[in-house]
Amino acid sequence: MLQINEFKENKEALIAGLKVKNFPNPEEVVEKVLTLDAERRATQQANDDVSAESNSISKQIGMLMREGKKEEAEQVKAKTAVLKEESKKLQEKLSSVEEELQQLLYTIPNIPHPSVPEGKSDEDNEVIREFGEKPVLSDDKKPHWDLIKEYDIIDFELGNKLTGAGFPVYKGKGARLQRGLINFFLDEAEKAGYSEVLPPIVVNEASGIATGQLPDKEGQMYQLTGHDYYLIPTAEVPITNMYRDTIINEKDLPIKNAGFTPCFRREAGSWGAHVRGLNRLHQFDKVEIVQIAKPEDSMAALDGMVEHVERLLKKLGLPVRVLRLCGGDLSFTSHITYDMEVYSAGQDQWLEVSSVSNFLTYQANRLKLRYRPEGEKKTQLLHTLNGSALALPRIVATILENNQTADGINIPEVLVPYVGFDKITK
């Protein structure tokens, strides 16, 4: 959530940023925020004035009573009843204006970084760099949805029987590959200085609001019937919320956490190969990295997180390209995001496997996540960042497709100690 002072101090830049994000009617919305804030402050001042007058009269009543002027005291006391009613009305108005302002702020996205290109969709994203060689496969190469049937390692039909579409069952070496990847990603995160946590996969409404998944995005999340509980769409939500309503000691910054969780998303896929098989699921496993940093350090932290994800993909031997997302493809809460895509040879297409984002103070403002600089009394909002390191389904799909041979599927060398085999065979 943007801070009110940003609307006052950087009005034109804020409007320009909202336009980059293709936000409708930014001038009108910004003016509405400023009008509500002015009304809020005026109402608060009026209520403060009434309270001050009421306090002054209370003192006057006490003085008159001590002087034995009971009749005069009763006359003055009558005015306090009028002031009390006035204060009640002002407080009700203040609460109403504050709620309207809060709900409006919830609808306004974060402002993009100056380097974020303009654009309306993923077709307008900017390719920053590309590395790794695309594998050369035979003409009879297969996509992963054929390979998993051939080697009997993932069963979509059984998942559909148990739950529904988008909930696969991993079997045998498919399950071991999944477990091996999770352990590999967690070990690499630990080497990079991240502390592992295992958070709940169910969060309350306050947690969803604090990181920007709620309100207005309930349709993308699974809600538990009869509760304000939600299945998490990413470990970002519980891990970041560990620090909600917290003042961090400066000496403890930056905070670096990594966590593995299942993730759940209701988003409906469109028809076509790009959402087939493992390309888009309703339940999937992911290792998430989260950082909390001082404002002056967060962009360097973002670069470090991108480098960490790139190292993982290089160790897996996957062809990679890194993209800077355009305004139209940037998430609601993000200030700047880099996507990592891998080339999946069986499908002959690039698949997104990680997004790494800096949110500046946008989440921290909702979280009330602050720190107190040494030697200062006033607290400051911190910056939050997160990234996928990594999401498993498309990684698995690409490993299967890129390493297929006539006599089986080779396992990347770095994973062999984790899975206990070097090839998937029939």
Side-chain angles (χ1 to χ4, degrees):
M1 185 169 64
L2 295 171
Q3 300 176 73
I4 289 294
N5 66 323
E6 295 179 84
F7 290 85
K8 300 175 184 177
E9 300 170 6
N10 304 301
K11 176 181 173 181
E12 297 306 321
L14 192 149
I15 290 172
L18 290 175
K19 288 180 178 178
V20 171
K21 273 205 167 179
N22 301 304
F23 184 75
N25 306 315
E27 294 93 348
E28 179 182 331
V29 173
V30 169
E31 286 300 332
K32 179 66 172 177
V33 168
L34 292 172
T35 297
L36 285 171
D37 181 59
E39 186 178 1
R40 177 191 64 80
R41 287 184 286 110
T43 305
Q44 181 66 67
Q45 184 60 57
N47 194 39
D48 289 345
D49 291 343
V50 169
S51 296
E53 185 177 358
S54 181
N55 290 336
S56 176
I57 290 175
S58 294
K59 292 179 181 178
Q60 184 180 356
I61 292 171
M63 183 180 66
L64 290 170
M65 293 294 286
R66 287 193 297 272
E67 294 175 353
K69 301 177 180 178
K70 186 176 180 180
E71 187 174 336
E72 289 184 42
E74 291 297 329
Q75 292 175 352
V76 174
K77 189 182 293 186
K79 190 175 182 180
T80 63
V82 175
L83 291 173
K84 185 176 181 179
E85 184 62 27
E86 186 176 351
S87 178
K88 180 182 176 182
K89 291 179 180 179
L90 286 169
Q91 188 58 53
E92 289 173 352
K93 180 182 178 181
L94 180 61
S95 296
S96 175
V97 172
E98 287 178 336
E99 178 64 17
E100 185 178 358
L101 177 58
Q102 183 85 350
Q103 292 304 317
L104 180 59
L105 289 172
Y106 280 153
T107 69
I108 303 172
N110 201 354
I111 304 305
H113 187 273
S115 68
V116 170
E118 295 184 10
K120 296 186 180 299
S121 72
D122 56 3
E123 295 181 357
D124 301 312
N125 293 336
E126 177 185 358
V127 178
I128 303 298
R129 55 186 167 272
E130 190 173 321
F131 56 85
E133 294 186 10
K134 296 179 181 178
V136 178
L137 302 179
S138 62
D139 291 339
D140 61 350
K141 66 183 180 182
K142 299 175 181 178
H144 71 273
W145 49 83
D146 288 340
L147 292 170
I148 62 177
K149 288 184 178 180
E150 182 177 343
Y151 292 96
D152 193 26
I153 54 176
I154 302 174
D155 195 325
F156 276 91
E157 292 180 5
L158 183 55
N160 191 52
K161 172 185 175 181
L162 297 175
T163 309
F167 295 88
V169 175
Y170 297 83
K171 303 162 59 178
K173 288 186 176 180
R176 289 168 66 183
L177 176 59
Q178 190 85 349
R179 177 159 50 92
L181 280 164
I182 292 166
N183 288 334
F184 168 62
F185 294 151
L186 287 172
D187 285 352
E188 291 296 308
E190 184 180 15
K191 292 175 186 176
Y194 291 88
S195 177
E196 184 179 347
V197 295
L198 187 61
I201 62 171
V202 176
V203 293
N204 55 31
E205 185 179 48
S207 293
I209 290 173
T211 46
Q213 281 72 31
L214 298 172
D216 300 329
K217 297 180 181 63
E218 292 91 338
Q220 299 174 20
M221 299 171 70
Y222 286 97
Q223 184 175 7
L224 302 189
T225 303
H227 298 275
D228 286 330
Y229 289 165
Y230 297 82
L231 296 178
I232 62 169
T234 166
E236 163 204 344
V237 181
I239 293 176
T240 308
N241 270 280
M242 287 164 50
Y243 305 96
R244 177 159 38 102
D245 298 320
T246 302
I247 298 176
I248 306 294
N249 290 324
E250 185 175 11
K251 64 181 178 60
D252 294 328
L253 295 168
I255 291 172
K256 300 171 68 175
N257 288 132
F260 152 70
T261 64
C263 303
F264 303 87
R265 297 185 185 178
R266 290 180 60 185
E267 59 184 6
S270 57
W271 295 102
H274 64 290
V275 295
R276 217 176 147 183
L278 295 169
N279 288 353
R280 182 167 296 174
L281 302 174
H282 291 301
Q283 177 183 333
F284 60 95
D285 292 332
K286 180 157 65 85
V287 172
E288 188 82 355
I289 53 175
V290 174
Q291 285 205 42
I292 296 170
K294 292 192 291 186
E296 63 267 28
D297 299 333
S298 69
M299 291 305 292
L302 177 70
D303 291 339
M305 294 171 77
V306 171
E307 291 170 5
H308 174 71
V309 175
E310 289 182 2
R311 283 195 299 271
L312 295 177
L313 296 171
K314 287 177 181 177
K315 289 185 177 184
L316 291 172
L318 300 177
V320 178
R321 70 178 184 182
V322 182
L323 292 80
R324 182 188 287 121
L325 298 195
C326 72
D329 202 29
L330 208 58
S331 77
F332 185 84
T333 53
S334 178
H335 175 63
I336 181 170
T337 294
Y338 292 97
D339 269 9
M340 266 61 73
E341 297 181 335
V342 294
Y343 179 75
S344 205
Q347 303 173 64
D348 191 24
Q349 69 169 333
W350 291 95
L351 301 175
E352 177 208 330
V353 293
S354 175
S355 289
V356 182
S357 303
N358 188 348
F359 304 96
L360 299 188
T361 61
Y362 193 89
Q363 287 183 333
N365 193 25
R366 293 190 181 202
L367 289 156
K368 295 182 174 58
L369 170 56
R370 299 157 290 164
Y371 82 109
R372 182 176 287 106
E374 290 187 17
E376 297 186 19
K377 292 184 178 181
K378 189 175 180 181
T379 60
Q380 295 183 28
L381 289 172
L382 286 158
H383 285 189
T384 61
L385 308 92
N386 66 54
S388 311
L390 287 155
L392 271 70
R394 294 175 183 176
I395 292 291
V396 170
T398 305
I399 288 175
L400 298 177
E401 293 182 9
N402 290 14
N403 295 285
Q404 60 182 295
T405 69
D407 60 349
I409 300 170
N410 294 322
I411 297 298
E413 185 177 349
V414 72
L415 291 180
V416 173
Y418 287 94
V419 300
F421 53 87
D422 60 6
K423 186 185 286 285
I424 298 175
T425 57
K426 296 180 184 178

